[in-house]
Amino acid sequence: MTPTPRAEKPLARTPRINPRIGVPVAAGAALALVGGALLWSPGGRADAATGSPAGAKAASFTAVAAGDIAEQCTASSSSCVHPKTAALVKKINPAFVMTMGDNQYDDARLKDFQKYYDTTWGAFKAKTHPIAGNHETYDPDGALKGYKSYFGAIAYPKGKPYYSFDHENWHFIALDSNSLDKSEQTDWLKADLAANTKKCVAAYWHHPLYSSGEHGNDPVSRPVWKMLINAKAELVLNGHDHHYERFAPQNADGKADPNGLVELLGGMGGANPYKIEEVQPNSEKRLTKTFGVVKLNFTDDGYSWELIGTDGKTKDTSPSYKCR
């Protein structure tokens, strides 16, 4: 895939207070060189890799998220990662699982889902809410055919590869970024957001609007970001680039904005890692060559998360955010 041209780096901005996390977005920042990558952590809270954020609430429910999962390998190979990330999901025992696309490599054929993905992450199939990535479109039998055959109504609850569901005080929206440029899906999203009655909203799809990795920024979801921000959504989860990255709240044009969306890129579910190539302006932390799952802790009016590595250790902890 040819990388999408990257946005130019904006000029320095005046520090502002983010009411959703209660600390300056740009002021008081600390820089650290870790594993060859320059990491940025806002001042006024513990470093994300070493402690929980101040004021974090106990979760009312927990979900797990990851993308880019099952290479064509099994637990018989010590280098095979998706059995190890599946073991993390089993240990966490979340209320449900969200997968952010490229669930099965390379061409996502049904026989490959059955031979690889099903032997590990398939254990949680009944409580998984998946979405498709670009690899699901490569199936020689037809785009998304193996994906649809494997997941069935789980991935197509209303006959389309995009859908939404509610859990407690949260509304979750699963989108197919292979067709985000089609009016049928965006019209559905507009109606879905208008009908939502939950306080907090999260959405997820495969191709990230912003990424510091090899694929870089993909503008296909910019109109969706604007719709979500107008609906006061909180969080976007993506995959596609095979690394972990979290962003400060920003608007659809990449400007820091306390009323923008928080983006979480979680493409570290098992596929070969990608390099960090061009750090995007609002990127707060990036980790590559770190496999694991994101453990999301949701409350009635907020959320936070932890990146759990395959060694069972917490590799990053987010700020604690309030719903708008």
Side-chain angles (χ1 to χ4, degrees):
M1 177 178 292
T2 301
T4 303
R6 304 171 190 274
E8 293 183 1
K9 188 172 181 180
L11 296 174
R13 306 178 187 91
T14 302
R16 65 185 73 185
I17 298 296
N18 186 340
R20 292 162 70 183
I21 59 175
V23 297
V25 172
L31 291 171
L33 190 64
V34 179
L38 190 63
L39 306 182
W40 182 89
S41 294
R45 66 171 188 262
D47 180 80
T50 60
S52 297
K57 289 185 177 181
S60 59
F61 69 95
T62 297
V64 160
D68 307 274
I69 298 170
E71 293 276 12
Q72 292 186 17
C73 61
T74 65
S76 61
S77 170
S78 61
S79 63
C80 191
V81 178
H82 63 95
K84 300 172 185 177
T85 55
L88 292 175
V89 182
K90 181 179 180 181
K91 184 176 181 179
I92 294 169
N93 189 26
F96 57 87
V97 174
M98 294 177 284
T99 65
M100 285 94 76
D102 285 4
N103 305 278
Q104 177 61 58
Y105 287 87
D106 284 324
D107 301 326
R109 297 171 295 182
L110 177 60
K111 64 180 183 180
D112 293 329
F113 268 107
Q114 294 168 334
K115 186 174 181 179
Y116 304 109
Y117 182 96
D118 193 60
T119 63
T120 56
W121 283 65
F124 326 111
K125 184 177 178 180
K127 63 178 180 181
T128 295
H129 298 283
I131 51 93
N134 52 294
H135 278 267
E136 277 81 5
T137 71
Y138 301 160
D139 188 341
D141 293 327
L144 305 184
K145 187 170 182 180
Y147 169 78
K148 184 176 183 180
S149 297
Y150 177 73
F151 283 112
I154 293 171
Y156 285 72
K158 294 187 177 180
K160 302 291 183 181
Y162 48 87
Y163 56 93
S164 63
F165 62 96
D166 294 331
H167 195 91
E168 295 191 17
N169 205 31
W170 279 79
H171 184 62
F172 295 90
I173 303 170
L175 298 175
D176 177 15
S177 58
N178 298 299
S179 58
L180 275 182
D181 56 346
K182 307 297 184 184
S183 61
E184 180 183 12
Q185 185 171 188
T186 53
D187 288 347
W188 171 87
L189 175 60
K190 183 178 179 181
D192 182 83
L193 289 169
N196 172 50
T197 60
K198 300 297 183 179
K199 176 179 176 61
C200 305
V201 178
Y204 58 107
W205 60 86
H206 187 60
H207 301 82
L209 179 55
Y210 296 106
S211 171
S212 300
E214 292 184 28
H215 286 310
N217 301 342
D218 191 325
V220 69
S221 64
R222 182 170 284 113
V224 168
W225 266 60
K226 292 178 180 179
M227 294 170 68
L228 291 169
I229 290 171
N230 288 339
K232 297 185 178 180
E234 326 302 332
L235 173 67
V236 165
L237 302 98
N238 303 121
H240 197 42
D241 263 330
H242 301 178
H243 71 279
Y244 166 85
E245 187 167 13
R246 59 177 165 87
F247 290 81
Q250 58 186 330
N251 65 26
D253 296 318
K255 307 295 184 183
D257 185 344
N259 293 314
L261 289 169
V262 172
E263 182 192 312
L264 165 58
L265 200 164
M268 64 297 124
N272 60 299
Y274 288 174
K275 295 180 293 184
I276 301 300
E277 290 204 341
E278 184 175 339
V279 176
Q280 296 301 297
N282 297 300
S283 176
E284 288 193 323
K285 187 152 186 176
R286 302 155 301 281
L287 293 171
T288 191
K289 297 183 181 179
T290 298
F291 296 104
V293 300
V294 176
K295 178 184 176 185
L296 291 139
N297 306 306
F298 295 102
T299 69
D300 279 346
D301 63 354
Y303 65 98
S304 63
W305 71 81
E306 302 157 80
L307 172 62
I308 310 297
T310 51
D311 60 1
K313 297 180 180 180
T314 299
K315 305 298 183 181
D316 183 42
T317 302
S318 76
S320 184
Y321 292 99
K322 287 282 191 179
C323 297
R324 291 197 286 152

